[in-house]
Amino acid sequence: MCENPIKCVFSVECRSVTEECDHFDNYTISRDWYVNADGTTPTVDKVILYNWTLLDCPVKVKNTENYLPQFDLYDGEDFVRPMTTNFILREEYGRTDYAYNSTMAQVGCNCEAQSWDKMRQLVDSSTGANPDTIWGPQNYRSCFLDSYQGGDLTQPYEILNSSGVVSLTFPADHDSIHIFHVTVVDPNYSYCNLQTTFSVHVYGALSTPNFMPLGISVGTFVFAILIALVASYFMFRKASMEEFKDRMELLNMILQKEGQTTHA
């Protein structure tokens, strides 16, 4: 909380209450794309009711593009300045179908940076800590300090900044709705606990071709051809047998006549 009586809030720069978008009541997260709050693997899909009052229209992001959210600081309803400090994201419902495009080594860390997995390991599970208090300005530590060295720097770097190189990436095989909780982690940026929530609509997935109608059409066509061939075969066979019968009767008549002539 902010001790100053002036309300300190910030919001997503490209989001607007006047923005038009397709409304929906809920959306489904496949069990393949989230983890339970306790870290276990889910066995069922999750249906999420979308809070339009809180979130308004989601930010639309093409799945082929990296996404770095931009924020503005507001003093009440008054714009103050763009937000230019370090912040972290947490997906509200445990979605895992997004990633960070840079490693700790790529951004120049001198030591292993903080991450959600690392910070959760430091929390005693029996305390039931609020996820919003696990990691924030109260325990933030920069990985660029000379006093720290070593660690696994091949891990993703999960701290973002509007002027940094780190951004989010999304898979191209499905569309999705993500609801992110944002926390400013730089303790020197503001005496306010700067947090907000926003949503992202990832789009652009190519629909999987449905070959069933084509298969049914082709199968029906092939079956009809086979039926026609079988019918033609039996009709030809019947005609051939009748022709053969007629020839045999004609031959018998000729032989009978020749026999009668010989006897005469």
Side-chain angles (χ1 to χ4, degrees):
M1 295 294 293
C2 178
E3 296 179 358
N4 191 297
I6 297 177
K7 185 179 180 181
C8 301
V9 297
F10 64 94
S11 61
V12 179
E13 183 179 87
C14 56
R15 184 175 54 172
S16 170
V17 295
T18 59
E19 180 183 358
E20 294 185 0
C21 57
D22 295 331
H23 280 244
F24 51 92
D25 294 327
N26 56 62
Y27 63 95
T28 301
I29 307 176
S30 167
R31 59 183 177 274
D32 298 326
W33 298 117
Y34 78 97
V35 294
N36 293 319
D38 59 1
T40 58
T41 301
T43 57
V44 296
D45 297 344
K46 181 188 291 187
V47 178
I48 305 298
L49 297 178
Y50 191 82
N51 189 337
W52 284 98
T53 303
L54 172 66
L55 300 169
D56 201 63
C57 288
V59 180
K60 298 194 70 172
V61 177
K62 188 75 161 52
N63 59 15
T64 56
E65 301 173 355
N66 292 354
Y67 173 58
L68 176 58
Q70 303 289 328
F71 302 98
D72 290 333
L73 286 177
Y74 285 83
D75 183 353
E77 298 296 327
D78 299 325
F79 171 77
V80 178
R81 63 180 183 273
M83 193 185 78
T84 57
T85 190
N86 294 338
F87 61 91
I88 55 174
L89 299 177
R90 176 178 59 81
E91 214 290 325
E92 289 280 357
Y93 297 100
R95 294 198 75 129
T96 58
D97 50 342
Y98 68 96
Y100 297 86
N101 70 335
S102 301
T103 65
M104 299 175 187
Q106 289 173 330
V107 300
C109 286
N110 294 323
C111 65
E112 186 174 320
Q114 292 173 316
S115 65
W116 279 110
D117 285 343
K118 196 75 173 180
M119 300 308 288
R120 289 189 183 100
Q121 291 173 10
L122 299 177
V123 177
D124 184 355
S125 59
S126 64
T127 63
N130 186 325
D132 295 332
T133 63
I134 292 175
W135 188 11
Q138 74 281 359
N139 58 4
Y140 171 68
R141 189 201 72 197
S142 172
C143 69
F144 304 106
L145 299 178
D146 294 334
S147 57
Y148 298 96
Q149 295 294 330
D152 181 8
L153 304 185
T154 63
Q155 302 175 76
Y157 186 72
E158 300 179 3
I159 302 170
L160 297 95
N161 191 300
S162 61
S163 59
V165 298
V166 183
S167 57
L168 300 180
T169 62
F170 300 94
D173 61 350
H174 64 280
D175 295 344
S176 56
I177 300 291
H178 296 255
I179 299 176
F180 289 109
H181 185 82
V182 189
T183 301
V184 170
V185 292
D186 185 353
N188 300 316
Y189 189 71
S190 173
Y191 53 79
C192 295
N193 184 19
L194 297 177
Q195 298 182 344
T196 194
T197 304
F198 72 103
S199 59
V200 172
H201 174 204
V202 181
Y203 70 97
L206 296 176
S207 59
T208 303
N210 186 359
F211 293 107
M212 184 174 292
L214 178 62
I216 294 175
S217 298
V218 172
T220 303
F221 179 71
V222 172
F223 181 74
I225 291 178
L226 289 175
I227 293 296
L229 289 174
V230 171
S232 298
Y233 166 76
F234 282 106
M235 291 178 64
F236 174 78
R237 183 180 178 183
K238 181 179 179 181
S240 299
M241 292 184 67
E242 290 179 351
E243 182 180 357
F244 177 75
K245 182 179 179 181
D246 292 340
R247 289 182 178 181
M248 290 301 296
E249 290 179 352
L250 178 61
L251 179 60
N252 288 334
M253 291 177 60
I254 293 174
L255 290 176
Q256 289 177 0
K257 288 182 179 182
E258 289 182 350
Q260 292 176 355
T261 304
T262 303
H263 289 298

